[in-house]
Amino acid sequence: MMNTPRSILALLLLAAFGLSQANGDTKPSAAITGSGPFADISHFTLRNDKGMELGLTNYGAMITFIRVPDRNGVFADVSLGYDSASEYINANKKPYFGAIVGRYGNRIAKGKFTLEGKEYTLATNNNENHLHGGVFGFDKRVWEMVQAGNPTILRYVSQDGEEGYPGEMSLTVTYTLTDDNEIVIDYEATTTKPTHLNPTNHTYFNLKGEGQGTILDHVMTLNANRYTPVDAGLIPTGKLVKVANTPFDFRKGKPIGRDIEKNHDQLKVGGGFDHNWVINRKPGDGKLALAARVEEPSSGRIMTVHTTEPGVQFYCGNFLDGTLTGRSENAYLRRGGFCLETQHFPDSPNQANFPSTRLDPGDVFESTTVYTFSAK
Ligand code: BGC
């Protein structure tokens, strides 16, 4: 796959991946046929008894759409993305719409870490740093379809040395759509050598509907007393800093746009909010804790995020710039979507005081995140 010319890859995927053909049940979409290494590409729609729909594909293990009702029962797709594979592959910018990113979600400084006395050099793709698994991360891979339907189970086996990481690492992601309008994402991984792992889902949300303007009036609550400030390359300084009396205080809930243009050095480096918040929780207890709650006033749609992870990257689409056009045919404006990427903290392999992202042979990595939708 790595050596396949991009144009051929795009054509094969286009043939194999009929997003617009999604048929509203848990069966594969009708138009899916593939060949060669792409024979296994599928697109599925899960639907629950409330009529909520979740689109999934094993290309990048992506969420392709999320259709949920507003307070009047009117459904909208609240996740950003495209309706054809060629757009996912060929867009001049790839903001990781809907994808599982890995091995490491977010940044590792200078693409380097040391394990067992050996220094590893990763692919760098964000200036001098490593971002979201490197040049050819999990978001651009074809995942094995372990089980179609609800739940949908996807697996990706990352080779020893891939993007510079040690060990063959097998990651299984299970997507479940419940009748309580929850999307449950379970992650499980093993490795053949000590390595670092921090997978997450990179869906962009706009609870008004994708392509319906910016997310600045969404009311965001983050269950976090502290966040991890960053340097100019968006690498954490290593400090956990209190949000009190800063624009980073979302504990009581406020519109995303209220403080985003405030004169604060961290807002300058991030171009807005693009930081890791330290979730208020009992560390390492393996239980789900509230990370975030988001409410969109005009539709009444509400999303809550619970996770077993210690952190959440609240990224508010600062790097979207109106040049990408999504399913609605509307341009994705700057801050036209936000992500809540549940995770271990960025650059943990190089930060001794952050919770560890190391995975050893014989151990099983487990993580769960739940996105719940409602309206009022
Ligand atoms: C990062 C941003 C990055 C975006 C898209 C987010 O997770 O925090 O800095 O621009 O992903 O790549």
Side-chain angles (χ1 to χ4, degrees):
M1 186 158 165
M2 273 215 174
N3 300 324
T4 312
R6 283 168 62 89
S7 53
I8 296 179
L9 186 126
L11 278 174
L12 282 168
L13 279 171
L14 188 58
F17 180 29
L19 264 186
S20 55
Q21 303 287 323
N23 62 357
D25 61 23
T26 56
K27 304 265 177 350
S29 301
I32 291 161
T33 53
S35 59
F38 307 106
D40 293 333
I41 290 180
S42 310
H43 182 263
F44 293 83
T45 303
L46 312 192
R47 179 185 286 153
N48 70 8
D49 70 3
K50 309 273 186 327
M52 176 176 165
E53 291 181 330
L54 171 66
L56 296 172
T57 172
N58 61 331
Y59 177 65
M62 288 189 281
I63 289 179
T64 52
F65 55 77
I66 302 170
R67 296 194 187 115
V68 290
D70 69 5
R71 63 164 71 89
N72 300 314
V74 179
F75 281 74
D77 178 358
V78 296
S79 71
L80 275 58
Y82 306 118
D83 54 11
S84 78
S86 68
E87 289 167 287
Y88 280 106
I89 310 258
N90 294 324
N92 60 350
K93 290 180 186 155
K94 296 192 173 55
Y96 306 90
F97 289 142
I100 297 292
V101 293
R103 289 188 197 188
Y104 204 97
N106 215 281
R107 293 173 177 81
I108 296 178
K110 300 190 171 68
K112 287 193 191 298
F113 61 74
T114 301
L115 260 181
E116 312 267 278
K118 185 168 180 228
E119 185 178 77
Y120 291 91
T121 301
L122 308 176
T124 50
N125 57 331
N126 189 244
N127 303 317
E128 60 178 4
N129 299 321
H130 177 86
L131 174 67
H132 295 331
V135 175
F136 205 163
F138 294 1
D139 60 295
K140 298 176 188 70
R141 304 278 178 173
V142 178
W143 292 50
E144 179 195 345
M145 197 81 211
V146 179
Q147 179 181 296
N150 196 4
T152 286
I153 305 176
L154 301 163
R155 181 174 300 135
Y156 180 66
V157 180
S158 170
Q159 297 306 307
D160 189 359
E162 192 175 295
E163 301 292 303
Y165 287 96
E168 183 183 287
M169 201 279 303
S170 173
L171 172 63
T172 302
V173 170
T174 302
Y175 284 105
T176 308
L177 176 62
T178 74
D179 287 331
D180 296 322
N181 285 1
E182 297 163 321
I183 300 170
V184 182
I185 312 179
D186 289 302
Y187 303 78
E188 195 178 295
T190 54
T191 183
T192 60
K193 291 181 188 165
T195 191
H196 282 286
L197 174 68
N198 186 30
T200 188
N201 180 280
H202 207 294
T203 295
Y204 290 68
F205 301 94
N206 183 329
L207 299 182
K208 269 186 250 180
E210 57 91 19
Q212 305 303 309
T214 76
I215 46 73
L216 295 172
D217 50 4
H218 286 51
V219 178
M220 175 69 69
T221 306
L222 294 172
N223 178 29
N225 295 339
R226 294 173 298 169
Y227 77 115
T228 52
V230 289
D231 68 14
L234 299 182
I235 299 292
T237 60
K239 296 199 178 91
L240 309 186
V241 170
K242 289 190 175 143
V243 296
N245 304 314
T246 77
F248 292 79
D249 190 350
F250 283 92
R251 290 175 296 176
K252 292 207 174 90
K254 64 176 175 181
I256 293 172
R258 181 179 288 170
D259 293 333
I260 203 167
E261 299 297 348
K262 286 258 164 83
N263 185 16
H264 190 285
D265 61 338
Q266 284 296 311
L267 289 173
K268 282 187 198 128
V269 290
F273 300 109
D274 185 1
H275 294 76
N276 171 68
W277 270 255
V278 180
I279 299 169
N280 296 334
R281 64 166 309 134
K282 212 166 151 208
D285 69 357
K287 295 197 179 130
L288 289 169
L290 178 72
R293 179 186 187 277
V294 198
E295 184 172 337
E296 197 286 298
S298 67
S299 65
R301 289 193 186 92
I302 296 167
M303 180 177 81
T304 59
V305 184
H306 291 79
T307 186
T308 58
E309 288 293 310
V312 61
Q313 186 82 13
F314 167 41
Y315 166 59
C316 62
N318 306 306
F319 297 115
L320 298 175
D321 60 5
T323 57
L324 298 175
T325 301
R327 277 186 293 280
S328 56
E329 308 280 314
N330 296 330
Y332 288 150
L333 306 178
R334 181 163 191 240
R335 300 173 181 159
F338 65 88
C339 304
L340 287 166
E341 303 154 62
T342 54
Q343 61 182 8
H344 275 55
F345 310 162
D347 198 36
S348 297
N350 298 306
Q351 306 269 358
N353 63 331
F354 286 180
S356 175
T357 50
R358 177 173 169 157
L359 181 66
D360 284 306
D363 290 345
V364 179
F365 168 89
E366 285 178 323
S367 175
T368 299
T369 292
V370 183
Y371 296 91
T372 308
F373 296 87
S374 59
K376 79 163 195 199

